[in-house]
Amino acid sequence: MERPLTAVTVLVPAHDRDAAGTAARAARRAASELGLAGPRAERTAECAGELARALAARAERGAVYVQPSPLGRGLDVAAIGSALPEDGGAGAERWPDGARAGGPGGTLLEALRELADDLVVRGTPGRGTAVCARWRASGVPGRPPGPGAREAVAGPDVGALRLPVDGESSCGDAWAVAAGPADDGIAGPPGAGAGPSLAAPPGAGAGPACGDGRAAGGGPAAGNAPAGRSGARPDAATAAVTAMVVDGLGHGPAAAHAADLAVRAFHDSPALPLPRLMTAVHQALRGTRGAAVGLLRRSADGSVEHCSVGNVRAYVLGRDGVRHRFGAQPGVVGWNMPPPAAQRLPDALDGTLLLHSDGVDGRWAHSPGPGLTGLPAPLLPVVLAHAHRAARDDVTALAVAPARRTP
């Protein structure tokens, strides 16, 4: 069987002392598969293990998430604790008080800043503190990888999460994102992409800026990426960005097969007008169990287009809350899809685009609470799924924010 194009996130609940070893092993294995060999693989393992250990020691209802970086070849280790300091600022920087990594005298976050290529941390009132550490693989164009190697780059700021139903290895949801001129084809070579766990092809592309505006890679992504096969161009800061979330009906291998075919169809021609792109996905899903599909595109002029069939939810978010909630057409892509129609929002005001499957309870958007909608893209899907994941369903969330730069 051909490998799926979107890797599955590894979730490690940090409930007991065994969580540290489990998280470290998951990160080490993923790092090795993604080209982070030797000491860099050990840094990812140390980071994941220390995060899990700190959460377990404080009896947090927290978890560690390990997955390939959404754009480019690299690794993300994210963690969230639900009962951490609620000041949203200084408390986050001290998270968790007294934890040590990398020797005496260093707090956990200080050590993580030395271990990771990039680190983004946010505290949210009522939700705890979330952390995302990011590494990029060697051989990626740009500044050589290593602790503290951060610089501003053009390109969208992307975060994603893809989790199967508990106890299953295949996920019926998937996501994809591509950046480039809206009138140009930007698909990568057919068949490339991540493996069912956390594998990635040797030729995957470079990483984008992380959520705090510091680069995880030395240049914008190119070609295929391990978690979603994303493509980008050097002018990605002003080019169109197209995003998709697909929810195969039900869950298990048959739903995962439909989702994977949708991702392949997306990357065959991601620059098509959205109704035509939806039609291409519909044709690819003929003979499968079908899916719900949501598409969003931010154009160079700041406008946002939307086209959805089924129960994939789509939003534009700002620090002030949910700025726009898009409606979807009824139907099943691959079966009884109506003629697809696109909606256009003339100005998204630099908001974050968010798509998620119904594995995230949509009621979160009615009262998102302070801080949630303003989270950086690498943290938003993790925090959203951690707090609002629906029981017994696959879940996928994808956040795309404009390029962020630092002086």
Side-chain angles (χ1 to χ4, degrees):
M1 173 182 283
E2 194 167 13
R3 297 185 305 178
L5 299 184
T6 312
V8 175
T9 303
V10 175
L11 166 62
V12 181
H15 296 163
D16 54 41
R17 67 180 64 183
D18 294 334
T22 303
R25 287 190 295 272
R28 185 180 294 111
R29 180 175 60 252
S32 178
E33 292 173 343
L34 292 166
L36 294 161
R40 291 177 60 72
E42 290 307 309
R43 291 189 191 112
T44 69
E46 182 179 356
C47 170
E50 290 292 343
L51 285 167
R53 182 177 293 109
L55 289 168
R58 291 170 61 97
E60 300 288 352
R61 290 179 297 137
V64 174
Y65 299 81
V66 179
Q67 62 184 4
S69 298
L71 280 174
R73 187 160 55 107
L75 182 72
D76 285 3
V77 174
I80 181 169
S82 60
L84 295 170
E86 297 185 358
D87 59 9
E93 293 301 309
R94 295 191 300 269
W95 178 70
D97 294 337
R100 294 290 185 267
T107 65
L108 177 56
L109 290 186
E110 288 170 349
L112 296 185
R113 286 192 175 93
E114 294 303 316
L115 290 169
D117 292 345
D118 193 70
L119 184 72
V120 56
V121 184
R122 292 293 186 275
T124 307
R127 300 178 190 276
T129 300
V131 179
C132 180
R134 184 168 281 181
W135 293 262
R136 67 183 179 280
S138 59
V140 170
R143 187 172 178 175
R150 299 159 181 148
E151 58 192 56
V153 296
D157 191 18
V158 181
L161 175 138
R162 185 191 188 203
L163 285 173
V165 171
D166 290 344
E168 295 190 2
S169 58
S170 58
C171 183
D173 296 356
W175 62 268
V177 63
D183 58 352
D184 188 15
I186 39 183
S197 175
L198 284 163
C210 283
D212 60 357
R214 296 174 299 187
N224 305 303
R229 277 191 73 204
S230 19
R233 297 295 180 94
D235 60 350
T238 58
V241 180
T242 307
M244 179 182 74
V245 162
V246 54
D247 183 350
L249 295 192
H251 54 85
H257 175 63
D260 188 55
L261 289 180
V263 171
R264 292 177 185 277
F266 175 94
H267 282 291
D268 282 342
S269 49
L272 286 175
L274 294 191
R276 289 177 57 193
L277 181 55
M278 183 69 76
T279 299
V281 174
H282 174 68
Q283 293 171 345
L285 266 57
R286 291 286 195 185
T288 72
R289 61 172 52 187
V293 177
L295 297 168
L296 281 175
R297 173 176 291 153
R298 188 198 306 274
S299 298
D301 63 2
S303 64
V304 172
E305 288 184 274
H306 168 258
C307 183
S308 283
V309 175
N311 57 2
V312 172
R313 294 173 172 87
Y315 311 86
V316 176
L317 307 180
R319 291 186 178 277
D320 52 346
V322 177
R323 292 179 177 171
H324 192 83
R325 188 180 311 171
F326 294 97
Q329 297 175 264
V332 179
V333 179
W335 284 87
N336 59 343
M337 188 182 79
Q343 305 167 276
R344 184 175 181 272
L345 187 65
D347 189 350
L349 299 174
D350 291 329
T352 295
L353 310 185
L354 174 68
L355 289 159
H356 68 72
S357 67
D358 64 354
V360 174
D361 189 333
R363 289 175 292 184
W364 73 268
H366 300 305
S367 181
L372 177 61
T373 60
L375 286 172
L379 291 177
L380 179 58
V382 172
V383 173
L384 193 64
H386 188 81
H388 301 283
R389 186 180 179 186
R392 295 299 303 165
D393 199 1
D394 301 322
V395 57
T396 287
L398 174 64
V400 181
R404 305 189 186 203
R405 301 176 185 272
T406 55

